[in-house]
Amino acid sequence: MDLAKEYEAFRSAGEERVECTRFTRKPRNGGSVEWRIDRPKLVISSTSWTEDDNFEMLVDALKLYSEAKKGENNSTWPDIVCAVTGKGPLRAQFERDITANPIEHVEFLLPWLEPEDYPRILASADLGVCLHDSSSGLDLPMKVVDMFGCALPVCALYYQCIRELVRDHENGLIFENASQLCAQLQQLLSNERSFLLEKMQQKLHMKARSPSNRWHHQWTQVVLPILNGLNGHEPDAKKDS
């Protein structure tokens, strides 16, 4: 995956001795890739571009963020590259709106990624945002599960059952309006060290490595006993091998 070849938001003028993108740098004579000190922060969301996702709220929050950055402490908060992946009926209108009304210090890109590239960009991002507003109030957004699987903390729009998945200050934060989302972006993306973001990343990394979160364990210990009960069978007491 080389997004810099396709999207200007990822490009940077190279230096003679250093290979650079907007986010990283690597010595041409060898050495490890490292974050650039002056890099923007990468915020990512995913959508099928239906009315279940309230992207107007994200735009309003980024406008508030931009206005705050113009103030006296504008060095506190970095520029943002906001990537929104997916295809759907409302995508074209959103693209027209953000092109006609650019937000200072914010760049949007709307990539369509290959399946193997999607987890890579999630793992490279600083923060995930979920704008899903369930029409039933009962379904959980799989995009958040994907983000958690890549140890990416999420700011999620509140609705009836979202707290079953997103737990405040453990794996993400929950917001109800644009002002709250703006405040969370400022808190988590600050150029000053965000201990809360680091804590949530560490918890997600530890959970991802835990055997109890593997598919086989969840199936045998959680799902299978329920199915056995529905069929009138005794729960399977066998342990994972």
Side-chain angles (χ1 to χ4, degrees):
M1 178 177 66
D2 189 352
L3 293 175
K5 290 182 178 179
E6 188 170 354
Y7 300 101
E8 187 175 353
F10 287 90
R11 291 182 205 141
S12 176
E15 303 173 25
E16 182 178 349
R17 297 182 179 180
V18 180
E19 182 180 347
C20 291
T21 71
R22 285 281 303 284
F23 299 87
T24 60
R25 63 193 303 277
K26 178 183 179 182
R28 294 188 185 276
N29 61 355
S32 59
V33 176
E34 59 186 28
W35 291 115
R36 291 177 54 153
I37 296 174
D38 61 345
R39 73 180 180 94
K41 296 296 177 71
L42 178 59
V43 174
I44 190 163
S45 189
S46 178
T47 180
S48 54
W49 293 108
T50 66
E51 293 181 356
D52 271 352
D53 290 302
N54 187 351
F55 276 88
E56 288 184 10
M57 190 177 296
L58 175 62
V59 171
D60 289 344
L62 290 171
K63 287 178 180 177
L64 292 172
Y65 180 95
S66 175
E67 289 299 318
K69 184 171 168 58
K70 294 176 189 176
E72 295 181 3
N73 297 321
N74 60 5
S75 63
T76 302
W77 301 307
D79 288 355
I80 289 177
V81 172
C82 183
V84 185
T85 70
K87 290 183 179 180
L90 300 181
R91 183 183 187 274
Q93 182 60 52
F94 182 83
E95 189 167 15
R96 286 192 293 268
D97 290 345
I98 60 176
T99 301
N101 302 284
I103 303 173
E104 193 172 355
H105 303 297
V106 176
E107 295 176 73
F108 282 97
L109 64 151
L110 310 179
W112 176 249
L113 302 171
E114 295 299 324
E116 63 271 18
D117 288 336
Y118 181 55
R120 292 173 181 162
I121 196 172
L122 292 183
S124 302
D126 295 283
L127 185 66
V129 175
C130 176
L131 286 304
H132 183 71
D133 187 9
S134 170
S135 55
S136 68
L138 299 175
D139 62 302
L140 294 172
M142 289 299 99
K143 69 192 78 176
V144 174
V145 177
D146 293 336
M147 292 173 185
F148 287 168
C150 296
L152 180 64
V154 175
C155 293
L157 178 63
Y158 173 80
Y159 65 93
Q160 183 176 337
C161 66
I162 190 64
R163 294 188 189 277
E164 294 182 24
L165 187 59
V166 181
R167 295 177 174 84
D168 262 326
H169 295 81
E170 290 190 21
N171 54 22
L173 297 173
I174 293 173
F175 61 89
E176 297 187 31
N177 52 54
S179 295
Q180 290 180 359
L181 176 55
C182 175
Q184 292 172 6
L185 295 175
Q186 291 171 329
Q187 178 183 13
L188 299 176
L189 301 180
S190 171
N191 282 323
E192 300 174 359
R193 186 175 179 183
S194 173
F195 290 99
L196 174 58
L197 184 64
E198 290 180 11
K199 182 184 80 170
M200 293 190 297
Q201 289 170 335
Q202 290 168 359
K203 286 189 174 183
L204 287 167
H205 274 295
M206 290 175 62
K207 189 170 185 179
R209 290 194 295 264
S210 171
S212 66
N213 285 294
R214 302 299 181 187
W215 186 93
H216 180 69
H217 178 94
Q218 292 293 314
W219 171 261
T220 57
Q221 302 300 313
V222 179
V223 179
L224 188 58
I226 295 173
L227 297 179
N228 284 336
L230 292 175
N231 290 327
H233 298 152
E234 289 296 323
D236 189 346
K238 290 191 295 183
K239 300 288 186 180
D240 288 349
S241 58

